[in-house]
Amino acid sequence: MATDQLSLIFGALADPTRRAILARLSEGEATVTELAEPFDISLPAISRHLKVLETAGLISRSRNAQWRTSRLEAAPLRDVVAYMEKYRRFWDERLVRLEQHLERMQQEDQS
Amino acid sequence: MATDQLSLIFGALADPTRRAILARLSEGEATVTELAEPFDISLPAISRHLKVLETAGLISRSRNAQWRTSRLEAAPLRDVVAYMEKYRRFWDERLVRLEQHLERMQQEDQS
DNA sequence: ATTGTATTTAACGCATCAGTTAAATAACGG
DNA sequence: CCGTTATTTAACTGATGCGTTAAATACAAT
């Protein structure tokens, strides 16, 4: 995958397991074993998903004794929202309706 | 990659070339050759990027004689924004400040 | 019919991803 | 020190991603 920040973020979000991990973390910090519990995959697999999320900046991790707890990080999500902003006029229904309205007004002016 | 809609969308957005194509399309429809022009990669490669974007629903395509023009589609971007909503409290600075404020208030009440 | 232009499909190479099991590392608790 | 628990690293596998070139397809124009 490309190594720029947005690609890392989108790439991390492209996997359902990783999105589920983020969803779980949105309810609070958790250890690797806790995060792995709902899934039918091995701990090393979870461990690497966490690494992907960490590289994308979507989580941060800290060490408590032998446990490594993960927590959700906000910044990259804000980056995604900022990126989406560029396309607001394409997905914001209100804005689309406004544009259509203005278009109609202009046509009426011309006729 | 997983085949659910969100994975397809995020996966499509994870590539810089595809994001550049979307950016170009936000200025208006374009043919494959036009879209390929800024890049140093072959037409078949572009063709497949377009297929990925189409599968994700991010573009639609139509045929005009021997040209296939692509146009940006809004719906999946709206899906992404809806997804981000779940995490609003983590990326919305205003909301974070409000939460911090309420937390402080509560601490003051206790002391 | 033939040639030219636009695009896709096929076949391939190489790198990366997502999973596995087995072994290594880290830290705790007796 | 030793065993247990938590997690990561290593080595491997199969699938997928992204690029290539060559061939096929679709349509236009003469």
Side-chain angles (χ1 to χ4, degrees):
Chain A
M1 203 200 314
T3 53
D4 65 278
Q5 197 58 20
L6 264 183
S7 298
L8 290 178
I9 298 168
F10 283 129
L13 293 173
D15 184 278
T17 302
R18 287 194 290 265
R19 289 200 305 278
I21 289 173
L22 289 181
R24 165 65 186 78
L25 289 177
S26 74
E27 291 161 19
E29 304 186 346
T31 67
V32 179
T33 314
E34 285 167 352
L35 289 171
E37 195 274 325
F39 302 104
D40 206 25
I41 60 183
S42 66
L43 273 161
I46 296 293
S47 181
R48 284 213 308 225
H49 279 307
L50 292 174
K51 187 159 211 170
V52 171
L53 291 168
E54 188 178 24
T55 301
L58 285 161
I59 65 171
S60 63
R61 321 183 67 189
S62 60
R63 171 152 244 150
N64 281 25
Q66 69 264 58
W67 295 279
R68 305 211 54 186
T69 62
S70 302
R71 57 174 292 168
L72 193 55
E73 285 296 333
L77 297 170
R78 204 154 40 227
D79 291 347
V80 170
V81 173
Y83 172 78
M84 301 304 298
E85 259 328 293
K86 282 203 303 189
Y87 297 97
R88 165 159 238 128
R89 56 186 300 274
F90 292 95
W91 54 262
D92 189 328
E93 291 247 324
R94 288 165 304 172
L95 198 45
V96 167
R97 279 199 298 272
L98 176 62
E99 280 171 354
Q100 288 169 346
H101 179 66
L102 292 174
E103 223 166 88
R104 273 195 301 275
M105 300 262 291
Q106 203 166 1
Q107 282 175 350
E108 280 169 24
D109 283 356
Q110 285 171 353
S111 59
Chain B
M1 201 200 316
T3 52
D4 64 278
Q5 197 58 20
L6 264 182
S7 297
L8 290 177
I9 298 168
F10 283 129
L13 293 173
D15 184 277
T17 302
R18 287 195 290 264
R19 289 200 304 279
I21 289 173
L22 289 181
R24 165 65 187 79
L25 288 177
S26 74
E27 291 161 18
E29 303 186 346
T31 67
V32 178
T33 315
E34 285 167 352
L35 289 171
E37 196 273 325
F39 302 103
D40 206 24
I41 61 182
S42 66
L43 273 161
I46 296 292
S47 181
R48 284 213 306 220
H49 279 308
L50 292 174
K51 187 158 211 169
V52 172
L53 290 168
E54 189 179 22
T55 301
L58 284 161
I59 66 171
S60 62
R61 321 183 68 189
S62 60
R63 174 153 242 147
N64 280 23
Q66 69 264 58
W67 295 280
R68 305 210 54 187
T69 62
S70 302
R71 58 173 292 168
L72 192 56
E73 287 295 334
L77 298 171
R78 203 154 40 226
D79 292 347
V80 170
V81 173
Y83 173 78
M84 301 303 298
E85 260 326 295
K86 281 204 303 189
Y87 297 95
R88 164 157 242 129
R89 56 187 299 273
F90 293 94
W91 55 261
D92 188 328
E93 291 249 325
R94 287 165 305 172
L95 199 44
V96 168
R97 279 199 297 273
L98 175 62
E99 280 172 353
Q100 288 168 344
H101 179 66
L102 292 174
E103 223 166 272
R104 273 194 302 274
M105 299 261 291
Q106 203 166 0
Q107 283 175 347
E108 280 170 25
D109 283 355
Q110 286 171 352
S111 62

